[in-house]
Each structure stands twice: as C-alpha cells, then as structure tokens.
Amino acid sequence: MPAMLVLGIESSCDETGVALHDTQTGLLAHALHSQVAMHQEYGGVVPELASRDHIRRTVPLLRKALDESGRALGEIDAVAYTQGPGLAGALLVGAAFAEGLAAALGRPAIPVHHLEGHLLSPLLSRRPPAFPFIALLVSGGHSQLMRVDGVGQYRLLGETLDDAAGEAFDKTAKLLGLPYPGGPALSALAESGRPGVCVFPRPMLNSGDLDFSFSGLKTAALTRVREIGEPDARQRADIARAFQDAVVDVLVEKSMRAIRGSGLARLVVAGGVGANRELRRRLDERAGRANVTVFYPELEFCTDNGAMIALAGALRLQAGLSLKPAGAFAVRPRWPLCEPAG
Ligand code: KG4
Ligand code: ZN
C-alpha cells in the first residue's frame, strides 16, 4: 500500500487534539489544547463549555499540525476522529468537523473508539510492543484489563464495577481540597505521605476475577477526613499516600494475574492513570521479577491526544477496517470497546 496521510481529531472530553500520521514514516505532527485551566474554577469538566472550546480550537490546531508536518490540507488521504465514548456535545464537534473536512476533500472518514486510541498509544513510542499483549487501560472513565491480539481484536478480561481508577483519584483529590484534575495533584501529594500511617482496604483483591471496584476507597478517604476533623498538610499527604498505595496495589496485582492467566509476557499500560509514577515503579518491579516487559506510552500520549487517534485511524485504514464515505455520521457517547464499529 502506498504511504497514506491520516489526520486524527480527538475531542471526547476536555482536550482538543489534532495530529497527522503517515502510514510509512509514522507520526509527523501533533497539536494539543488542554481545557484544564478553563474548567478548573468549576472543579470539573463543564460539558457545554468543553464543546464550545473544541469549536474554537480545532482549526488553529489543524493549521499548526499542518505547518509542523510541512504537508498541505489537500494531501490528507483520510480523516480519523473519536466517535465515542465521551461527552456527546464534545464528540459532535470533532465528528462534524472531521466528516465535513473529509467530504470537502473527497476522502473517507474513519470513526475511532477513544479507548482503542489509548490501547494502541504505546505503539507511538520508540520501543513499541508486538501483538498479542495484555493491556491495563486506566483512564478517567474506564479501568479495564484487555487481551489485545491485533488491531480491532480486543477481549475484555475484567473491568471496574463502579468508579474508574482516574475518577476515584479525581474524587479523592477533591475531598482533600486539591485542584482538578485531581490525579496528578493527589499523586504529587502522596509522595510526601508516610507509608502505613493510614491504611485503606484493597477492594476485590481476592475476588478471584479480574474486576475492580474503586468507589469504596473514596469513601474510606472521606471517613478518615471526618475522623480527623480538619486534617493538616501532613495528614492529608498520609491519606493521599494510603489511597494511592491501595489503588496501585490492586492494579498491579490484577494486571499480573491477567498476564499469568494469558501466558503472555507483554503488558501495556495506557490511559491517564498510566502516567502515575508509583504505578509505573511498582509494575516495573513486579514485572521484572516475572520476566514480563511493561510498555508505556510516552508521557505526553498517556492522557488524551490526537496522535493516538491518528495512529488508530492509520492502522484501521491499513487493515481496511471502519472506513466510511464522508457524510452522515453519529457519535456514540456510550460505546463498549468490544462492540463493533459502525
Ligand atoms: O485518559 P485520560 O486523559 O482521559 C480519559 O479518557 O478519561 O485520563 C484522565 C484521568 C484523570 O482522571 C486524571 O486524574 C488521571 O487520568 N491522571 C492521573 C495521573 N495523571 C492523570 N491519575 C493518577 N496519577 C497521575 N499521575
Ligand atoms: Zn482518554
């Protein structure tokens, strides 16, 4: 197949991402705008503000990515975009823009599953994993263990029964008075917390399956805060530490169990929580002892970005999957990864 230039557009939540991917040479350029500063004063993502901001950012980001790549708009062979899951209004902005542009260019559009983007994001790194692998997908909306046999071949092994790990980080951070998004802030605070001063349960550690539950940890943190009354900085750090240690323990244990059950020796960690340093440290330690190699996306591709959508689009294009003529489209705010595209 000749080299194809794929544009990728991500707009499922609070980041607008645009990237250009060449099927032969790889990622050419990516541009990102984070809305974190805008949503911060509300303590979380305000969907309507998110949609409006995506509208403002998409064209300037596309211009920037084109400039950086040295390629022209007319050279684009296909336009990939996040079709779901995510915020309906935010998804509609990216989808409408992508489909409109694809129609104007007379090129196909490629609707992409956001989690597929995360799953494949380690392939953007200098040392990409080969298929098949086990993936621990830990984002703000999802916590799943999957078996990945190839592009479009995903089998769900286990998932959270309530809050996602990132969501639990965000909620616990909020009750400790930390700014949104809570994950990085809580993780930074936990670094100064004392181990073992405060100990939280390890939910579902011995459930015998690969499912998770994180909402109880947020309650454990709330209960501890109430017991203390007004925790000082040191006590807040201890609570952050206890929370992070519990989440990381469960994620590491279940990931290793999934690896053992699969007989594979490659583990991929993707999604925003994959940026967590303690999770990386502990996984590397456990995996090292078991002769398992852990692959992480580059830090900049752990959280939402256009590069992973352009990559997923390029791989789908090469595999002849999900190409559609530009035009009528729908977004899928709720969309299980194992359900077929379309
Ligand atoms: O993958 P992502 O950017 O968005 C979704 O698709 O949900 O993940 C965002 C989530 C947020 O919950 C954020 O708090 C969390 O990832 N996160 C972290 C860290 N960096 C981001 N959680 C723990 N430690 C971090 N260093
Ligand atoms: Zn995401």
Side-chain angles (χ1 to χ4, degrees):
M1 191 188 267
M4 304 275 246
L5 183 63
V6 179
L7 171 66
I9 294 177
E10 156 63 33
S11 72
S12 66
C13 189
D14 57 350
E15 258 110 23
T16 322
V18 174
L20 286 158
H21 191 103
D22 182 299
T23 52
Q24 263 171 24
T25 55
L27 184 66
L28 299 180
H30 77 105
L32 186 74
H33 175 78
S34 167
Q35 303 176 352
V36 162
M38 183 181 76
H39 295 297
Q40 212 150 35
E41 66 177 291
Y42 305 96
V45 178
V46 184
E48 182 58 23
L49 293 183
S51 313
R52 287 166 190 238
D53 201 60
H54 286 306
I55 294 175
R56 275 192 294 271
R57 305 290 173 186
T58 310
V59 171
L61 287 173
L62 173 59
R63 290 219 170 94
K64 196 169 162 212
L66 283 169
D67 278 354
E68 202 177 307
S69 69
R71 307 291 284 267
L73 196 60
E75 292 177 60
I76 293 170
D77 293 301
V79 185
Y81 64 91
T82 305
Q83 188 186 22
L87 301 170
L91 289 166
L92 276 170
V93 175
F97 181 87
E99 292 278 355
L101 179 63
L105 294 171
R107 302 292 186 193
I110 311 172
V112 167
H113 195 294
H114 181 78
L115 294 183
E116 178 174 54
H118 277 302
L119 269 188
L120 300 176
S121 61
L123 300 178
L124 289 164
S125 59
R126 259 158 297 167
R127 199 180 52 104
F131 297 116
F133 54 75
I134 296 298
L136 171 67
L137 191 62
V138 270
S139 69
H142 296 84
S143 295
Q144 302 183 327
L145 277 160
M146 322 254 335
R147 183 186 163 107
V148 179
D149 285 293
V151 177
Q153 294 171 266
Y154 313 116
R155 190 149 61 85
L156 184 66
L157 304 175
E159 67 182 331
T160 184
L161 304 181
D162 42 55
D163 289 355
E167 188 180 357
F169 262 94
D170 293 340
K171 289 178 176 170
T172 304
K174 202 167 183 176
L175 71 90
L176 289 174
L178 298 170
Y180 156 87
L186 189 144
S187 158
L189 181 63
E191 304 251 317
S192 59
R194 295 164 293 177
V197 170
C198 174
V199 178
F200 290 164
R202 273 39 181 170
M204 298 187 64
L205 191 65
N206 298 310
S207 59
D209 54 28
L210 297 171
D211 289 335
F212 305 101
S213 165
F214 294 112
S215 69
L217 285 175
K218 164 199 71 198
T219 313
L222 181 62
T223 306
R224 187 74 195 114
V225 167
R226 288 198 174 137
E227 276 166 9
I228 299 172
E230 300 241 330
D232 61 21
R234 196 157 198 227
Q235 289 166 317
R236 285 171 48 240
D238 293 339
I239 294 172
R241 172 82 192 235
F243 170 84
Q244 179 168 275
D245 282 352
V247 173
V248 167
D249 250 8
V250 179
L251 290 176
V252 170
E253 183 56 38
K254 297 239 164 166
S255 300
M256 295 312 292
R257 219 174 279 170
I259 277 283
R260 276 200 301 277
S262 70
L264 301 176
R266 282 182 296 272
L267 175 67
V268 157
V269 182
V273 183
N276 187 275
R277 278 171 53 185
E278 184 62 13
L279 175 64
R280 289 182 173 217
R281 196 182 64 72
R282 293 275 314 285
L283 264 181
D284 287 341
E285 194 181 279
R286 278 287 296 278
R289 274 189 266 142
N291 282 327
V292 169
T293 313
V294 192
F295 298 81
Y296 306 95
E298 305 290 336
L299 271 180
E300 62 178 335
F301 299 136
C302 265
T303 46
D304 293 347
N305 64 85
M308 66 184 192
I309 302 303
L311 169 74
L315 293 172
R316 287 201 158 255
L317 177 68
Q318 285 172 301
L321 294 168
S322 350
L323 277 185
K324 69 179 274 303
F329 68 92
V331 293
R332 304 176 76 178
R334 294 181 177 278
W335 179 12
L337 180 56
C338 297
E339 237 172 52

